[in-house]
Amino acid sequence: MHEDEAANLALHEPRRPRGPDFIIGGAPKCGTTSLHFILDQHPDVALPTDEVHFFDADDPVSHPDFLRVEDGALKWWDPGAAAEDSQRWYAERFRGFGEIGLIGEDSTTYLMSEVAAKRIAQQLPEAKVIFMLRHPVRRAYSQYWHLVKTSRAVESFEQALVRYPQIMLGSSYAAGLKRFIDALGRDRVHICLFEDFRNDIQGCVDAVTGFLGLEPMQIDPERVWFNRTKYPSAPRFHRLANHVGRKLVRGRYNRHMGGEAGIGRRVENKLHYWWFAYVNPRFMNVDRPPEMREGTRQYLEQHLSARNAGLSQLLERDLDALWPGMRC
């Protein structure tokens, strides 16, 4: 084939939708939303507003609310490369970003997923991944209160540890980091510690922009922290109310990647908005959560130390000194 014929064919081939250049892949409650908020202020970066959760959408541990049973059959979202509807949905998340230097996405459950790393490596062979980590016990406790805040948890923290495996997996960093490093290579994985981020936001963001090959950006102190958490002054009463709220939440998660529209969905959307605009915020009115039970803390420090064995060596950082009570 002549060069001009090959060029003509390439010109008329359908252009593959642009995928993200980088992913903020976890972990939840480690400052990822703030990093997203900061990076989105960079003139050469664009990100979808919400978390995408595409590459692990079929994971029943990460996203139990994404799956549902209808007439006895399991309904699930297929993130496979051959699933045209799902791929079209994913591409739509980045529509309109074509002229931006780098586009990214934020999906904080990818680190805990056993399937996301390989899928990302296959579909996005040049994408880079950023992870933010935090003291594992404090992160787990923060995620629990996030579940309460979002009307998903009706149990005590101790009961939630038994019911929601994602709380423990979200603080089990070592295995997930190894999966991503094996799948993508160490040079495409950047790790930022929440404790460093709090102490030196500018330094951490400079490291991230350098990793992504972006021009440095000056942090605006007034536009740094996003999604500051409030806690309920009456946790038992809030959890009791969540028996109502969780029904509204479940429907929204079931349709994360789309679904049929109709009057029932419109009514549900109105109720969801009303609940989280006017009812749920009334419970979240103090700045600190209750103290964790000492026995629970001791259990988590022991178990999460075992789950993160070798992490200090992997990160070349003395995490035991940074994270009190942990032995990593």
Side-chain angles (χ1 to χ4, degrees):
M1 183 182 296
H2 294 294
E3 289 185 7
D4 56 343
E5 292 176 334
N8 187 55
L9 283 175
L11 184 64
H12 291 89
E13 282 182 356
R15 187 175 181 181
R16 184 175 180 178
R18 181 180 177 184
D21 303 292
F22 70 91
I23 296 171
I24 303 173
K29 309 310 296 178
C30 292
T32 55
T33 304
S34 292
L35 180 62
H36 175 138
F37 183 63
I38 291 169
L39 288 177
D40 204 31
Q41 298 170 41
H42 196 289
D44 296 323
V45 172
L47 301 99
T49 302
D50 298 321
E51 292 195 26
V52 178
H53 299 305
F54 176 70
F55 291 103
D56 63 346
D58 57 341
D59 191 325
V61 176
S62 301
H63 305 294
D65 290 332
F66 284 13
L67 284 73
R68 65 191 188 279
V69 177
E70 294 181 2
D71 299 324
L74 184 67
K75 301 294 183 179
W76 54 286
W77 307 114
D78 182 2
E84 293 184 6
D85 289 345
S86 295
Q87 290 292 333
R88 194 158 36 245
W89 178 92
Y90 188 58
E92 184 68 15
R93 308 281 74 75
F94 311 103
R95 186 169 62 86
F97 292 164
E99 302 304 318
I100 300 294
L102 292 182
I103 59 176
E105 65 135 299
D106 179 2
S107 297
T108 56
T109 55
Y110 288 165
L111 182 59
M112 75 174 77
S113 170
E114 297 204 17
V115 297
K118 287 187 177 180
R119 288 173 174 174
I120 291 169
Q122 291 169 358
Q123 182 160 330
L124 304 172
E126 297 182 1
K128 296 181 177 180
V129 183
I130 301 162
F131 297 112
M132 296 188 71
L133 313 181
R134 179 184 184 181
H135 189 298
V137 177
R138 295 173 185 172
R139 192 222 65 82
Y141 200 41
S142 182
Q143 184 176 358
Y144 164 71
W145 288 109
H146 180 74
L147 292 173
V148 173
K149 174 185 176 181
T150 54
S151 293
R152 283 178 282 177
V154 299
E155 306 86 354
S156 69
F157 181 48
E158 288 72 20
Q159 291 168 325
L161 289 174
V162 176
R163 178 163 185 175
Y164 302 107
Q166 62 265 42
I167 294 179
M168 199 70 76
L169 287 176
S171 290
S172 304
Y173 311 134
L177 288 175
K178 290 174 183 175
R179 280 194 297 270
F180 272 91
I181 290 171
D182 288 346
L184 276 67
R186 185 64 182 87
D187 61 329
R188 288 170 56 194
V189 176
H190 179 78
I191 296 135
C192 174
L193 300 183
F194 175 78
E195 292 78 8
D196 293 338
F197 185 71
R198 292 197 67 174
N199 291 330
D200 182 12
I201 296 175
Q202 184 68 60
C204 284
V205 172
D206 286 346
V208 169
T209 53
F211 169 69
L212 296 176
L214 293 165
E215 289 294 321
M217 62 182 295
Q218 184 63 43
I219 300 300
D220 181 352
E222 300 299 320
R223 303 182 66 198
V224 168
W225 286 107
F226 186 79
N227 199 27
R228 288 183 180 272
T229 299
K230 289 283 188 177
Y231 300 91
S233 58
R236 290 185 180 180
F237 186 59
H238 193 172
R239 296 200 304 262
L240 183 63
N242 282 351
H243 282 282
V244 176
R246 72 189 307 183
K247 295 179 181 179
L248 301 174
V249 170
R250 186 178 296 119
R252 298 274 289 196
Y253 279 99
N254 280 341
R255 288 188 290 272
H256 173 73
M257 294 179 70
E260 295 182 5
I263 188 169
R265 183 170 181 180
R266 291 197 295 272
V267 169
E268 185 178 77
N269 288 341
K270 288 286 187 181
L271 290 172
H272 186 277
Y273 170 79
W274 174 79
W275 181 265
F276 284 99
Y278 299 107
V279 178
N280 197 59
R282 294 180 178 272
F283 299 110
M284 313 296 292
N285 49 19
V286 297
D287 293 325
R288 288 183 175 276
E291 288 294 322
M292 188 188 306
R293 292 175 182 266
E294 186 57 32
T296 304
R297 183 186 306 280
Q298 291 173 2
Y299 162 72
L300 289 174
E301 287 174 352
Q302 177 178 318
H303 186 69
L304 291 175
S305 290
R307 281 182 170 269
N308 287 295
L311 187 60
S312 289
Q313 182 177 3
L314 182 65
L315 302 188
E316 298 181 344
R317 183 79 178 269
D318 183 4
L319 297 176
D320 297 2
L322 183 66
W323 294 340
M326 299 298 297
R327 297 172 300 283
C328 301

